[in-house]
Amino acid sequence: AQSVTQPDIHITVSEGASLELRCNYSYGATPYLFWYVQSPGQGLQLLLKYFSGDTLVQGIKGFEAEFKRSQSSFNLRKPSVHWSDAAEYFCAVGEGYGGATNKLIFGTGTLLAVQP
Amino acid sequence: EAGVAQSPRYKIIEKRQSVAFWCNPISGHATLYWYQQILGQGPKLLIQFQNNGVVDDSQLPKDRFSAERLKGVDSTLKIQPAKLEDSAVYLCASSSGLAGSTDTQYFGPGTRLTVL
C-alpha cells in the first residue's frame, strides 16, 4: 500500500537559518508528490507539487523540494526561515492521479517552530 | 475568489449523539472531498464526489457516517451515532477538474469535533 513517512515530528530552527523537512514515500508507480502547510486554525495550503520533469520544484513562499527516485524521497527546503513559517508541514502522495481518482495520502506531519 | 467554506468551525457533542457538517466548495469546482484528521495524524480521505456522484468512499465507516452532495454543489457529512474515536478535524476540499485530474485540491478551515 502507498504510504508517506515524515521522520521528524517536531523541528525547531532559528530565524534566518536554513530548513530541510524530510519525506519518504512508498509507491509502486511514478508518484505525484505534494507539500502542504497548515497554520493553526487554517486549512491546508499547497506549497508545491511534483508530477514529472525537473526534479527540483519551486513553490510559494520561497520553498523548494527535490524528488529523488533512488531514495524515494521528496524533501522540502528553504534557505532562510522566517518567523511566519512556523506551522505544520505535510507531505503527501497522490493515488490515482490522472486515473480514476485523486486521493491524497498524507504523512503524519512535521511541526516547525521558529526561534527568534 | 472565495475559498472553501465550512461550518460549524467547532462542535462538542456527547457520544451516541448525531452531528452534521456542511461544506461549500469553490464555485464551479466539480470534485469535492471530505478528509478526517485525527490529532497527531495526517488527513485521511473519507469520501470523494464528482459533481453529485460518489467516486471513492472506501474509507468511510458507512455504519455511522454518511455524506451527500445534492445538486453537485454543497455537501454535508453526518455522523450518527458518534463515538469517542470520531473526535477529529473534518476537512473539506475541492478541485476544479474531474476525478482523476491533476488539479490542486483547495482545503477549507475544517470543523473540529469533540466527542465526550
Side-chain angles (χ1 to χ4, degrees), chain B residues 5-73:
Chain B
Q6 292 187 245
S7 68
R9 294 295 309 276
Y10 304 91
K11 190 73 177 178
I12 300 173
I13 62 173
E14 303 271 335
K15 61 183 179 183
R16 292 187 289 274
Q17 286 185 324
S18 63
V19 64
F21 312 127
W22 173 82
C23 172
N24 181 232
I26 293 173
S27 177
H29 277 195
T31 305
L32 184 147
Y33 314 78
W34 283 102
Y35 287 84
Q36 179 192 55
Q37 185 178 15
I38 294 172
L39 186 65
Q41 300 181 19
K44 181 185 80 173
L45 180 69
L46 292 176
I47 188 167
Q48 177 182 347
F49 291 95
Q50 176 178 304
N51 297 315
N52 61 351
V54 175
V55 173
D56 182 354
D57 64 356
S58 58
Q59 297 192 92
L60 187 73
K62 298 181 187 63
D63 58 333
R64 298 184 299 106
F65 286 65
S66 64
E68 59 183 11
R69 192 184 183 198
L70 300 176
K71 302 181 182 178
V73 182

Side-chain angles (χ1 to χ4, degrees), chain A residues 60-80:
Chain A
I60 62 171
K61 304 184 180 186
F63 286 92
E64 66 179 24
E66 186 171 12
F67 169 60
K68 293 184 177 180
R69 185 186 297 276
S70 62
Q71 298 176 21
S72 298
S73 69
F74 189 56
N75 294 349
L76 182 71
R77 301 193 294 248
K78 187 169 185 179
S80 177

